[in-house]
Amino acid sequence: MRKLSNDQARRIAVAAQGLAEPRPGGRIDRRHYRRLLERTGLLQLDSVNVLQRSHYLPVWSRLGAYPIASLDHFTARSGEMYEYWGHVASLLPVARYPLFRWRMDAIRPWPRVQRVMDEHPGYVEMVFEEIAAHGPLTVSDLSDPGARTGPWWGHGKGKTALDWLFSKGRIAAYRNASFGRLYDLPERVIPAEHLEAPAPERTDAYRELLLLAARHHGVGTATDIGDYYRLHLPTARPLLEELADSGALQRVEVTGWGQSAYLHPEARLPRQIEGATLLSPFDSLVWERSRTERIFGFHYRIEIYVPEPQRVYGYYVLPFLLDGELVGRVDLKADRKTGALLVRGSFHEEGTDPARVVRALAPELNGLAGWLGLGRVQVDANGSLAGHLARLV
């Protein structure tokens, strides 16, 4: 069995995610987006907008400043992307649509959906017919959307019905300029060649998704690879072994992991990695926190839902990747009223050189502020890097 050091596994993982090469120069267009999606497979969606919507940030991390409007068109109206439950809510290449038909078929009503079905017989079908007749529609466009049941995730019966129809694949969705979902019939959103393509049965779809996830990771454990597309791990484990037996994946032993791992045959091992970028909390390089800690020695938790007095680093903290290692973290907020990128906390990791970290971090913060249309960077006096960083931005 081939053996890898953790350092080698780390370089493989960073390269597989498209973060081991310089950002492109010149105009960014859909060719860059296609290549990026070949690397990451998807862009995770999230509604938090403290800095920027989460799916925009992985693109900036890899491509640098790009026109957001062009990505919006590529993801929503070009026919090349669609939204579904990939990792969680995700934007995926539309060619992958058939690989998730099994998930649409297998999903069963969750309690909130069942309550709507029981308490409002016929309502879900009424919503479907309204979408079919008048789509695209948002939830507020429905003739009877129902009332929200809470300020955060409280969903009225209209949103619940739309979520169910969307999850079953009976309707499709894309985002408007304010990030709201527009719902329509699949045939009006998904190109026919993908909508009507034969759907592999569940086991074959699992094999394809596991191979894709292994390629996106470069190297990973069964848990790493299965989590990428949120696959049922007891089903995925024996299929990974089959793929390794057939030579589609290679079994490897990584120093310090304490569990078997799989290497994709296309995985690249750079001799060294140079460059710096900030990562969204929802970037696919770091979203599986135990993997992040195992590979990078970087303990990372998003603290949005932690009461403020109990937060360690801040509300919306971005890891800082420098030369293939996670060396720091910054708590950021875009204050659009004052035109400032607020650095509410800035920290280097134990064992790193704070001067080296801050020299690389300052231009990244300036570049991020410019891309967001913010005229200045304001550094609060919080964290091990704050004093030096304030003098450089």
Side-chain angles (χ1 to χ4, degrees):
M1 182 184 293
R2 181 178 175 183
K3 295 185 178 181
L4 297 172
S5 68
N6 188 72
D7 177 69
Q8 289 173 317
R10 175 182 54 79
R11 282 180 276 144
I12 288 170
V14 173
Q17 283 283 307
L19 288 161
E21 56 195 45
R23 289 165 169 157
R27 179 176 174 270
I28 303 298
D29 59 29
R30 65 179 56 196
R31 294 171 298 174
H32 297 92
Y33 303 144
R34 289 183 192 125
R35 188 178 181 202
L36 185 152
L37 266 297
E38 280 300 307
R39 299 287 186 82
T40 66
L42 49 74
L43 295 171
Q44 182 177 336
L45 296 166
D46 190 84
S47 60
V48 176
N49 193 22
V50 176
L51 179 67
Q52 178 58 283
R53 299 288 185 191
S54 66
H55 64 288
Y56 294 121
L57 290 169
V59 182
W60 176 82
S61 296
R62 290 157 177 81
L63 301 181
Y66 69 92
I68 286 176
S70 72
L71 183 69
D72 286 342
H73 183 270
F74 179 77
T75 56
R77 305 305 295 155
S78 69
E80 296 196 38
M81 300 287 290
Y82 80 108
E83 181 177 340
Y84 194 60
W85 305 113
H87 180 71
V88 286
S90 306
L91 295 168
L92 300 121
V94 74
R96 307 273 157 80
Y97 184 86
L99 291 180
F100 290 92
R101 292 300 295 267
W102 64 269
R103 181 166 283 170
M104 297 172 185
D105 294 340
I107 198 166
R108 296 292 179 264
W110 52 94
R112 181 164 45 86
V113 173
Q114 193 62 58
R115 280 197 302 273
V116 169
M117 290 177 169
D118 293 343
E119 296 173 7
H120 306 278
Y123 177 77
V124 171
E125 286 306 308
M126 184 193 78
V127 169
F128 174 77
E129 290 167 6
E130 195 165 341
I131 295 292
H134 305 294
L137 300 176
T138 66
V139 60
S140 60
D141 293 328
L142 295 176
S143 58
D144 180 16
R148 288 172 64 99
T149 57
W152 283 81
W153 298 281
H155 291 163
K157 62 181 180 179
K159 182 66 165 67
T160 299
L162 290 168
D163 283 349
W164 169 245
L165 293 166
F166 170 76
S167 297
K168 291 297 289 181
R170 295 187 62 194
I171 61 176
Y174 56 92
R175 302 283 173 160
N176 60 21
S178 59
F179 197 64
R181 268 185 182 162
L182 286 162
Y183 298 90
D184 209 342
L185 294 181
E187 54 264 37
R188 299 201 286 247
V189 177
I190 310 296
E193 63 182 300
H194 305 297
L195 184 65
E196 298 168 6
E201 59 94 18
R202 184 186 184 193
T203 300
D204 289 336
Y206 258 59
R207 289 192 186 97
E208 290 192 51
L209 289 169
L210 288 168
L211 281 172
L212 285 169
R215 177 153 61 87
H216 303 321
H217 271 319
V219 62
T221 66
T223 301
D224 297 337
I225 294 169
D227 178 71
Y228 207 88
Y229 288 108
R230 291 294 169 93
L231 302 178
H232 182 244
L233 193 56
T235 304
R237 283 187 187 276
L239 293 176
L240 283 167
E241 285 294 293
E242 288 180 19
L243 291 167
D245 289 340
S246 71
L249 296 175
Q250 181 182 355
R251 294 183 183 89
V252 293
E253 180 183 317
V254 182
T255 303
W257 283 21
Q259 51 189 307
S260 58
Y262 303 88
L263 179 72
H264 194 276
E266 296 176 10
R268 183 170 65 90
L269 173 55
R271 294 185 65 179
Q272 64 180 23
I273 296 174
E274 296 181 352
T277 195
L278 289 158
L279 300 174
S280 161
F282 304 101
D283 193 289
S284 46
L285 181 68
V286 297
W287 67 34
E288 215 299 302
R289 307 310 193 203
S290 64
R291 173 180 168 84
T292 302
E293 189 158 3
R294 184 186 344 119
I295 293 180
F296 296 97
F298 188 87
H299 181 75
Y300 184 45
R301 298 290 183 271
I302 189 165
E303 299 182 81
I304 290 173
Y305 310 117
V306 175
E308 186 171 359
Q310 299 173 28
R311 291 179 192 141
V312 178
Y313 294 106
Y315 183 80
Y316 198 74
V317 176
L318 280 68
F320 182 48
L321 183 72
L322 176 60
D323 298 340
E325 299 183 72
L326 293 176
V327 298
R329 57 189 94 202
V330 287
D331 179 22
L332 297 181
K333 176 182 174 61
D335 187 341
R336 293 176 175 85
K337 289 184 179 179
T338 64
L341 176 64
L342 305 182
V343 183
R344 301 192 293 187
S346 51
F347 309 85
H348 75 287
E349 292 299 290
E350 184 177 354
T352 64
D353 177 1
R356 171 176 171 262
V357 172
V358 82
R359 282 196 303 269
L361 177 59
E364 284 301 300
L365 290 169
N366 286 328
L368 177 60
W371 175 63
L372 293 173
L374 303 171
R376 61 191 177 91
V377 178
Q378 176 181 313
V379 181
D380 292 352
N382 176 34
S384 59
L385 299 178
H388 194 182
L389 187 60
R391 293 192 293 271
L392 292 182
V393 296

